[in-house]
Amino acid sequence: MKSFKLLLLGSALLAVTACAAPNREPDLSNIQANVDKTREGDFGELLYHLNEAGDKSREAEEIKQSIDADAPYLYTNLPLRQEGVRLAEEAAEHRARAEAALNRFLDPIRARLAYLESLHVPQDVGPQTTSIYFDTGSAAVRESETAAMTDAGNFLSQYPIAHVQINAYTDTVGSTNANEALAQRRAKAVMAAMGKAGVPLAADVSVMAVGEAEGPDDAENQENRRVDIIVQPHGTYNKGM
């Protein structure tokens, strides 16, 4: 009988303890509020669209790899192909929206920098063009071009809101399509080399893979195998000079 009473007392104590204990269930009421807060403003929109672009592009790439793995004579799953196309297009759209949000986020900063730069940039300073030369068929930046890269970097560092135009050229050795691809690789190689050297590339950078250069068709002329780095100081660029 005594044991039975102790058992009842223990059960009662457990019940009271359970009632008094705090609720361990997670609070779900603020989930949407926190999600909305995370997506607020241009910075939140930037993060959201970047994540969406990354997720959808990975899915699209996996579908493409799956299709590429099939033998060429096999019928490709049309719905799967359509799904890959849709995901790739949505990824590109999210990327564009992310870039737009980033620009809205950066525009006030650029405007402030432009004002500060205008206080000391001489208005008669014109653009500087630096040429980087390549061997025929090569997109490797030669060590001999280090001084030219440094010169371009020193000039650019004075004008953080400058417009930078990178034009890549090739000679006529090889097909037109191959030369266009080579020009793209040369432009990317120059940008990578400038970044590795610590050159502060401006936010406003345009790249043009021109391909075969105009003028005399002379494969020995290094002017036909070059990348031009054109730095337009902010003050004169805004005047359209």
Side-chain angles (χ1 to χ4, degrees):
M1 184 67 176
K2 183 177 181 180
S3 299
F4 180 69
K5 290 182 178 180
L6 290 175
L7 181 61
L8 288 177
L9 178 60
S11 299
L13 289 173
L14 287 174
V16 171
T17 302
C19 293
N23 184 9
R24 300 296 182 181
E25 292 296 324
D27 182 6
L28 305 181
S29 62
N30 62 349
I31 285 182
Q32 190 60 49
N34 286 333
V35 169
D36 293 341
K37 186 176 181 179
T38 302
R39 295 181 182 176
E40 283 181 358
D42 292 327
F43 189 71
E45 187 175 352
L46 167 65
L47 293 178
Y48 170 72
H49 287 297
L50 275 182
N51 287 331
E52 288 293 306
D55 291 343
K56 291 180 182 297
S57 64
R58 280 190 293 272
E59 292 180 53
E61 188 173 16
E62 289 174 358
I63 290 176
K64 182 179 183 302
Q65 290 174 351
S66 174
I67 293 175
D68 289 343
D70 292 336
Y73 54 82
L74 293 180
Y75 174 73
T76 301
N77 187 319
L78 182 58
L80 184 64
R81 179 185 292 271
Q82 293 172 334
E83 176 70 3
V85 171
R86 182 187 65 80
L87 287 168
E89 290 175 346
E90 290 181 359
E93 177 63 25
H94 281 293
R95 167 63 184 262
R97 292 186 179 184
E99 290 180 349
L102 177 61
N103 284 327
R104 290 194 300 270
F105 182 76
L106 293 178
D107 278 346
I109 301 174
R110 291 170 179 157
R112 182 61 178 170
L113 287 175
Y115 168 73
L116 294 175
E117 185 179 289
S118 69
L119 297 179
H120 73 273
V121 174
Q123 296 301 301
D124 59 348
V125 174
Q128 172 178 293
T129 300
T130 303
S131 296
I132 308 299
Y133 298 101
F134 293 81
D135 295 328
T136 298
S138 173
V141 179
R142 301 182 298 198
E143 291 186 8
S144 59
E145 301 300 322
T146 301
M149 299 278 290
T150 301
D151 184 53
N154 289 339
F155 185 75
L156 179 56
S157 64
Q158 302 176 58
Y159 310 102
I161 309 297
H163 173 73
V164 181
Q165 176 71 43
I166 297 178
N167 296 335
Y169 301 88
T170 71
D171 54 33
T172 57
V173 176
S175 68
T176 300
N177 290 338
N179 285 333
E180 289 178 355
L182 176 59
Q184 292 178 354
R185 294 197 301 274
R186 285 176 174 172
K188 292 179 180 178
V190 167
M191 291 185 67
M194 293 178 72
K196 187 176 180 181
V199 176
L201 272 179
D204 187 13
V205 180
S206 299
V207 178
M208 180 179 296
V210 179
E212 297 174 359
E214 296 181 358
D217 182 11
D218 182 4
E220 298 301 319
N221 183 4
Q222 68 175 2
E223 292 298 323
N224 293 335
R225 306 186 311 276
R226 75 183 194 278
V227 170
D228 287 338
I229 306 169
I230 306 169
V231 179
Q232 181 75 36
H234 178 71
T236 54
Y237 176 67
N238 273 357
K239 290 185 176 183
M241 297 174 60

